[in-house]
Amino acid sequence: MDVGISIEESRIFNPITAINSYLTTNLIKSAYVVGSKHEKDQVAARHDKVNPEIIILLDFEKNNISYNELQILYSFIQNKIPVIAASGSTYYLKSDMHYLDTGAFVKLLESAGSIKVAIFGKPSKFYFNEGRTILDCVSNDILVIGDDWRTDIAGAVDSGFNALLIKSGKYKSDDEKNNPKIKCIESL
């Protein structure tokens, strides 16, 4: 998507980048991945539906995950397979409607499995700190742009980054009052 900002692709950081760094650092070779084929192809671990070392939750919508797959995840959780996720966001907006996002399923699996899922996307400090490390920048040189106060902006501020709140999408009236130092614009 072209929004008029010129940035090298290597300078853009996303949750799969953070997950891959974690997998590499921890020598994890196999994973049960929930997500689209495109997302799965980006993960730096062999996809294993039988004996994974870890479960990675990326996206539940694109493959229209079934009850049977949720049960498979739950069985792995009962066998103490750790779970990580790309997002803690419980919903996203599409055509002005709310749709369940990965974070909603994270909460379901945490509750049913009595576990804690590590979030490797916004708003986790790991995500923002890993981004700073990979981009080899200091916090003041990074600008996080987003429309969701809870994930984009609060996560960035909590990690010491600059943030720009966009009044669109998930923006709620007066979100900027949560921190008057945050810059806010109508749109990009």
Side-chain angles (χ1 to χ4, degrees):
M1 174 171 51
D2 185 2
V3 294
I5 300 173
S6 178
I7 301 172
E8 293 176 39
E9 190 171 331
S10 66
R11 305 298 288 170
I12 298 173
F13 181 73
N14 66 43
I16 294 176
T17 310
I19 288 169
N20 285 340
S21 176
Y22 177 82
L23 296 173
T24 302
T25 300
N26 290 284
L27 305 174
I28 297 171
K29 303 288 186 208
S30 67
Y32 186 100
V33 183
V34 175
S36 69
K37 179 180 179 343
H38 176 72
E39 291 166 327
K40 288 178 181 180
D41 289 345
Q42 295 176 61
V43 173
R46 177 178 41 81
H47 305 292
D48 189 335
K49 293 183 175 185
V50 180
N51 293 307
E53 295 172 70
I54 196 164
I55 299 166
I56 303 172
L57 308 177
L58 300 176
D59 187 341
F60 282 70
E61 177 195 25
K62 291 181 183 87
N63 285 351
N64 196 20
I65 190 167
S66 68
Y67 174 84
N68 288 340
E69 190 161 6
L70 283 171
Q71 187 58 47
I72 290 167
L73 294 172
Y74 185 57
S75 295
F76 284 139
I77 290 167
Q78 290 175 357
N79 287 320
K80 308 292 186 224
I81 304 298
V83 183
I84 62 176
S87 174
S89 184
T90 55
Y91 74 93
Y92 65 93
L93 292 172
K94 183 167 71 172
S95 303
D96 293 327
M97 288 186 58
H98 288 103
Y99 288 83
L100 291 174
D101 203 355
T102 302
F105 295 96
V106 165
K107 290 186 182 306
L108 168 83
L109 293 169
E110 284 180 330
S111 177
S114 299
I115 61 166
K116 181 70 179 148
V117 174
I119 304 298
F120 283 73
K122 301 174 290 186
S124 81
K125 277 189 174 183
F126 174 86
Y127 175 72
F128 287 102
N129 290 329
E130 189 69 11
R132 179 180 51 232
T133 300
I134 288 173
L135 296 172
D136 193 26
C137 295
V138 295
S139 297
N140 286 340
D141 289 342
I142 297 174
L143 174 64
V144 176
I145 302 170
D147 64 353
D148 185 332
W149 178 268
R150 188 182 68 76
T151 60
D152 304 333
I153 306 307
V157 170
D158 194 33
S159 298
F161 294 10
N162 298 303
L164 178 63
L165 178 63
I166 308 297
K167 290 183 176 182
S168 67
K170 286 183 160 182
Y171 169 81
K172 292 187 176 106
S173 182
D174 296 332
D175 271 348
E176 64 275 15
K177 290 182 181 175
N178 288 314
N179 186 331
K181 294 178 184 177
I182 298 300
K183 292 183 175 110
C184 187
I185 63 173
E186 294 295 324
S187 66
L188 284 178

